[in-house]
Amino acid sequence: MATKQSEDVSRDMTDESQSSGLIERIRKFNPKEVLTWQLAKSLAMGQGLAALICGTAITSQYLATSFHVNTPMLQSLLNYSLLCATYSTMLLCTTGDGNILQILKRRWWKYLLLGLVDVEANYTVVKAYQYTTLTSVQLLDCFVVPVLMILSWWVLKTHYRPVHYVAVCICLLGVGAMVGADLLAGRDQGSTSNILLGDGLVLLSASLYAVSNVCQEYTVKNHSRVEFLGMVGLFGTIISTIQMVILERNEVAAIQWSWQVGLLFSAYALCMYALYSCMPIVIRLSSATSVNLSLLTADLFSLFCGIFLFQYNFSGLYLVSLVAILIGFIAFNAVPTPSDRIEPTTNSSIREEGYYDNPVASQDDIIKQEVAVTIATEEEEETRGENEEVRQKRRKKRSSRSTQSHGRWSEDDGNDDVGQSTKM
């Protein structure tokens, strides 16, 4: 009985300490520490990426509805070709370990698999629209977020806290509100020929996107953005060319080319090129999970554009969804997600273009280092002062000893003189 009572008392004490700690954190909460310039920059850049995805969706819809062009591999080939022409050429002109030949000697098979994953992720999500509805695609596409969190925890050793899971749930509720608005507006469009196959393709695409984004985060934070984009562009061009020749040669031959079709293809390729070029910068600034939470607003941007371009019906739930996703994104980035991954021998805190791997953690490290330096200097000054005091004491002792010995020697000299005079 005594042990049970002691256990109950200890549990009550721990609960009280946790509650008091939570209350203390709430009291010390400062909005300025959360709503920082770093967070605003991440949010703005993430919404810029969402706008680029919206551009790709609108151009694809125009190609499919107005010109009956459905060639996802050709569109992907244009994007990968631009990446290869830009970043692979930069790697070719680089000397040392960053040269494309040196990279291919060490890691060619890794980038081959990464290029295959990235190409198939883009292809399967487009293919899913032929078998399932738009609502299913929007709902199941969010599967990329939990898969990303699991892979980040497993591969990148990222530590998530309860606030991060709550923030993700808020974002997913925002997506649910968007899907509900689509159902109320009667926008449950798409095919229903094989819903099970279509839903499976969406889940496969989300998983492949998660793998690609985790590999992208690891590469840009441990190597460089140019290396990732150059290798993905090179292998993506090769893989998408082979797949287009096998699967889409009839569709490509049947395209009735005009300046409108060429303009739409160009707009799609430029949007995808800008998306691929800018996403590594945002991922290095925050994380792959944070970027994908921000990209959940891309469907909302497409819907807002569809209100003016395709005469969609507006619903107030769209605004509720946008606010919920933004709140979840801010809550997710308010608390840092430190990781235990091993960095290379190069400077691990500052990477290409001056970004930090974890801005909040790096600032804390800088503050800790400054405090440690000040403490060390103070201790050195104290030890120097103590050493000076000890030295002065030793000098005093030596001087006193020297004076005493000098006195003794003088007395002995006097006695010798006296003895000599008496003897004389």
Side-chain angles (χ1 to χ4, degrees), residues 138-330:
Q138 289 175 338
L139 275 177
L140 297 177
D141 194 43
C142 299
F143 185 65
V144 66
V145 177
V147 176
L148 255 177
M149 296 183 73
I150 294 173
L151 290 177
S152 298
W153 169 78
W154 182 40
V155 178
L156 303 178
K157 308 301 180 184
T158 303
H159 299 287
Y160 293 106
R161 299 179 182 178
V163 65
H164 297 120
Y165 299 105
V166 174
V168 169
C169 292
I170 293 174
C171 290
L172 296 181
L173 288 176
V175 176
M178 176 183 62
V179 173
D182 288 342
L183 293 175
L184 293 176
R187 289 195 62 248
D188 192 17
Q189 301 173 356
S191 176
T192 57
S193 59
N194 195 338
I195 295 178
L196 185 61
L197 177 60
D199 293 347
L201 289 174
V202 177
L203 294 177
L204 177 61
S205 174
S207 302
L208 293 176
Y209 271 125
V211 174
S212 176
N213 288 337
V214 169
C215 295
Q216 182 176 0
E217 181 177 356
Y218 179 83
T219 305
V220 300
K221 289 185 177 181
N222 291 276
H223 299 290
S224 70
R225 180 177 69 98
V226 177
E227 178 177 337
F228 172 80
L229 294 174
M231 291 294 101
V232 169
L234 176 62
F235 288 104
T237 302
I238 297 172
I239 296 170
S240 58
T241 301
I242 296 172
Q243 193 163 340
M244 183 193 69
V245 172
I246 296 174
L247 300 177
E248 292 184 357
R249 58 181 183 273
N250 295 327
E251 287 80 0
V252 173
I255 296 176
Q256 297 180 358
W257 292 96
S258 63
W259 69 270
Q260 295 95 336
V261 174
L263 182 62
L264 290 173
F265 269 110
S266 301
Y268 177 89
L270 290 176
C271 287
M272 286 294 291
Y273 175 76
L275 175 65
Y276 270 72
S277 299
C278 297
M279 184 175 284
I281 300 174
V282 188
I283 287 179
R284 185 171 47 225
L285 190 64
S286 54
S287 66
T289 306
S290 174
V291 171
N292 278 270
L293 289 177
S294 182
L295 293 181
L296 294 177
T297 58
D299 291 332
L300 285 170
F301 291 163
S302 300
L303 291 171
F304 293 149
C305 293
I307 293 172
F308 300 99
L309 298 177
F310 305 107
Q311 287 75 45
Y312 292 161
N313 295 324
F314 178 77
S315 175
L317 288 176
Y318 291 148
L319 297 178
V320 175
S321 175
L322 179 61
V323 172
I325 293 174
L326 293 180
I327 291 175
F329 175 81
I330 293 173

